[in-house]
Amino acid sequence: MIVGIDLGTTNSLVGVFKDGAPQLIRNAHGDFSTPSAVALDDQGQLIVGLAARERAATHPDMAAQAFKRFMGTDRRLRLGKREFRPEELSALVLQSLKADAEAFLGETVTEAVITVPAYFNDAQRRATRMAGQLAGLKVERLLNEPTAAGLAYGLQERQNNSTFLVFDLGGGTFDVSVLEYFEGVVEVRASAGDMRLGGEDFAQVMGQLFCDACPDITSATREQLSRSTHWWRAAELAKRELSDRESTRMQLVLDNRALSADITRDAFEKASAELLHRLRRPIERALHDAQLQPASLDEVVLVGGATRMPMIRQMITRLFQRLPLRTIDPDQAIAQGAAVQAGLKARDAALDEVVLTDVMPFSLGIIVSQEVNGTRIGDRFSPLIERNTPVPVSRSGVYSTVSDNQTFIKLDIRQGESPVGSENLKLGELEIAVPPAKAGQASVDVRFTYDANGLLDVDVRDLLGGNQANTLIRNTDTNMSDAQMAEAVAKLQGLKRHPRDDADNVYLLARAKRLYEDRLGAERQVIQDWMAQFSSALETQDPRVIRQARSAFKEALDSIDTSFRF
Ligand code: ADP
Ligand code: MG
């Protein structure tokens, strides 16, 4: 049985696809959500979940939370005298979910689909896979969180070109993604967010309001309060209460002194204005990247526990002029989607039709130097595959030598968004010999091919002499078998073609050419315009653009081509 797991910063959930539907599994406390927290108890034993979160309140130095933030880094987290890597802590959470699933299913669980934020880079994804492996799970696939939310809401059952905006406000992170469905494929078209903005910031605002409302509170007491976990917990509780009520009383005891204050939802919302404002930028960026207007979205989906706050719903309703979708419990949507994908992986007939693609969460390219107004500037990043491109993808570009009689070209392969090449993460190098020639006259064709498993195949061909070189950059920790790897690599080979050489596209252009030859005057002009439009779509090498342009081109040709009626 494959399980689907939402490995969250604050909370994690596990589910399965059973009897044709996703089903979440309760932990030993009877909750669907397990806090992503790990602690050492008084006996030095590791504890996970709710007990660990409780422990964090009383013994913060014995507990770790929010370690998802450090996935993919070398950072160690200290629990008492012991140190842990973030993936080890995540593995403990996964192990606990695995045990809950096994108790529920009555069988061992060895495989999982795990969700990750769309913006996770290679190192973060690798660390997540490693966490799965450490927990004894074969990670069948990493699924982007917004894609999972889209699946939970049945995006794949919508009409072609349906678009969803997924608004995910969790405990400490905020993510906005735009998804599009087209011909059996769900794509994440853009994602943006703020890694330092979430429900906790609203609790912080609540805590400050409380201090403001308490009479005669000194700045020293204020200082003391802000370090107290009791204050935090009381603020968190009050925040949640205000999601269902117009007003609440926040109270706590500090040094035998009882503090209490009434706080209204209205006051809380006013004090949160700045946080609400910060939510807007990423929304605008995601829409801009996806080239969509708010009105043209089909649905806006709310996920993440913090979207329970009415002010969030109101803001979204105002911004998008419609009610957001929220029929699934906002902190369960991603886990449900992961379970749907797990069902798909297990080849459950109910979901046979669904094919998923994800997008590149970062840009891939090489370092080049460029002539600008007669001066040569090095260390420039030249992306071949841009962020937010759907995968799998294959793109090529031509690069030339920079000095006379250069004997080789060395590709420095990087991932990242900085215009400065060396600031991006280095993935590898590839060298190719070129025939001696004047600067700029020897050139190479560089092709990057990337798939959802994180395999990057780099080909380089010298255009003068015909030399070739190739390197395969892969997740070193990937748990694909040699056979799976060979299959994935074989699939990549199929992508290495310029779209203008694809049979379908060649055929349509040939058909247009025939029609052109048959017609005269204004009609010729129209056909020529269509051909130019389609050719420029092909040059983008973007499958989504091409797919849509192809439909339009075909429809246009059908409308004037009478020959097939005979
Ligand atoms: P993550 O994706 O970070 O694991 P979740 O989606 O589980 O996080 O969301 C956790 C956040 O949701 C916390 O900040 C919590 O305070 C907030 N939250 C949960 N329930 C409510 C509620 N009823 N009202 C307001 N905030 C809530
Ligand atoms: Mg989440």
Side-chain angles (χ1 to χ4, degrees), residues 86-101:
E87 55 267 45
E88 291 173 325
L89 295 167
S90 296
L92 290 164
V93 174
L94 290 173
Q95 233 168 36
S96 153
L97 298 173
K98 177 176 185 278
D100 291 333

Side-chain angles (χ1 to χ4, degrees), residues 6 8-9 11 68 145 168 170 304 334:
D6 170 7
T9 310
N11 295 300
K68 181 174 173 180
E145 289 167 5
D168 180 355
I334 289 172

Side-chain angles (χ1 to χ4, degrees), residues 42 67 77 139 176 247 261 319 328 355 399 479 536:
D42 287 332
F67 31 83
L77 291 104
V139 181
V176 194
S247 117
L319 208 60
I328 300 175
V355 188
Y399 296 88
N479 48 19
S536 83

Side-chain angles (χ1 to χ4, degrees), residues 43-84:
Q43 283 75 46
Q45 296 289 316
L46 283 164
I47 49 177
V48 176
L50 200 59
R53 179 176 288 172
E54 290 297 321
R55 180 95 175 147
T58 51
H59 297 77
D61 51 335
M62 290 290 188
Q65 300 188 80
F67 31 83
K68 181 174 173 180
R69 289 186 183 285
F70 306 114
M71 289 292 265
T73 69
D74 286 331
R75 172 104 168 222
R76 302 290 144 95
L77 291 104
R78 184 176 277 281
L79 296 190
K81 292 198 181 66
R82 294 170 66 179
E83 277 194 346
F84 293 86

Side-chain angles (χ1 to χ4, degrees), residues 239-267:
K239 176 187 79 174
R240 290 185 189 219
E241 279 190 350
L242 285 189
S243 292
D244 302 320
R245 243 170 287 176
E246 291 297 327
S247 117
T248 184
R249 171 160 297 172
M250 178 168 159
Q251 22 189 209
L252 61 102
V253 175
L254 183 80
D255 299 337
N256 290 325
R257 198 175 139 210
L259 298 173
S260 127
D262 286 327
I263 293 163
T264 64
R265 185 191 283 172
D266 193 47

Side-chain angles (χ1 to χ4, degrees), residues 6 8-12 33 36 168-173 198-200 236 239-240 243-244 304-306 308-309 330-331:
D6 170 7
T9 310
T10 323
N11 295 300
S12 297
S33 289
S36 307
D168 180 355
L169 190 62
T173 54
E200 281 162 22
E236 172 71 24
K239 176 187 79 174
R240 290 185 189 219
S243 292
D244 302 320
R308 284 226 173 81
M309 291 184 289
D331 32 35

